[in-house]
Amino acid sequence: MDFDRYDRIRPIRWQGDRLSLLDQRRLPFTVEMVDCTDSDAVARAIHDLVVRGAPAIGIAAAWGAVLAGQGVQAADGAEALVRLGPALDRLKAARPTAVNLMWALARVRRALAAAGSDWLAVLSAEAIAIETEDLAANRYMGALGAALIAPGSGVLTHCNTGSLATAGFGTALGVIRAGVAEGRIERVYASETRPWLQGARLTVWELLQDGIPATLIGDGAAAHLMKTGAVQWVIVGADRICANGDTANKIGTYSHAIAARHHGLKVMVVAPSSTVDMDTARGEDIEIEMRDPAELLSVAGTRTVADGVEAWNPVFDVTPAGLIDAIVTERGVVTAPDAARMAAVFGAKIPG
Ligand SMILES: CSC[C@H]1O[C@H](OP(=O)(O)O)[C@H](O)[C@@H]1O
């Protein structure tokens, strides 16, 4: 596969003294970078969804740690870890659900704790490794996931899981790219993903850059589409996969999984092992991010709801493992996931 043909979008660009982030709040009509010159600016960018997507926010946080490191003097990594601790905590607190954020910062802390006087170089090397490993994982998962899809299939995806949400190529969107390239996927549908519209604003735009036509549907049209028989797989990303396979992902994923089971479709979750959290036993234990209800009161900046109306805005939900047919990771595919099958691939705990 000509990965470069698919992999032109780079939302995270390290510039040596600042981190340039593609402002995903402005896409698709405005392509604009936001320059972060310190770690707190990166934390704000993660919270404000300038950069979003579980793997992408982990990568951004790792570069945020490098920015924090550039601002301190320390004899070795252990001393640097003490001085950087508050900044790393503020990065970790930027969003609660995607475990990649916590995983990346735990990796950074571990690298620093073992580093000598060259700790800043070690820190930068860790950020580079986190980013390059994610890209390699996505390309490998693309092949693994595509192999599960019979030629002539239609797929539905939710939210955005592509180059905008990762180091490149994407997770669920990586499987879709590979499946299209191999002639296995004939029809791609993307649900708009209210309220932030990652599907309508990002996914269909991203696929358009690749010359992959995708049909946008309203979130409420998913079950009706499944009923037509046009779709055989629902393929989504993840923000946190528990030890029993329960999976937190963008709000609306759970509804799609219920409808898929009802209509005999299969559900594939695609995520790198940095999204697997073997320390969280089951979905009920995941903190679901509640964002400003005001995000529900407007569309693209235009107020659509009368004053005085209350709104409830959880931005993730949990799909129980029993509704998932395959979890595709770079460590292997877990079919019919449960605690035993997850442990067989990931062991009792993932270093992170
Ligand atoms: C490969 S991205 C994984 C995951 O992150 C997205 O959430 P958000 O846009 O709020 O950062 C979405 O849940 C994707 O499926």
Side-chain angles (χ1 to χ4, degrees), residues 52-55 95 159-161 165-166 171 198 237-239 249-250 316:
R52 36 69 43 204
R95 293 185 76 187
C159 197
N160 172 261
T161 60
T166 65
T171 57
Q198 289 94 329
D239 291 84
N249 196 53
K250 183 52 53 200
F316 296 104

Side-chain angles (χ1 to χ4, degrees), residues 25 30 32 39 48 54 108 112-113 143 194 213 228 230 246 257 276 282 290 296 303 333:
R25 301 172 299 183
T30 302
E32 191 173 87
S39 59
D48 296 345
V108 159
L112 274 179
R194 286 271 296 145
T228 68
D246 289 351
V276 176
R282 56 192 170 283
M290 300 298 291
L296 275 164
R303 184 70 186 245
V333 179

Side-chain angles (χ1 to χ4, degrees), residues 148 233 267-270 324-328 333-337:
L148 303 176
W233 281 92
V267 174
M268 184 191 303
V269 170
V270 187
I324 299 170
D325 295 278
I327 295 178
V328 175
V333 179
V334 183
T335 55

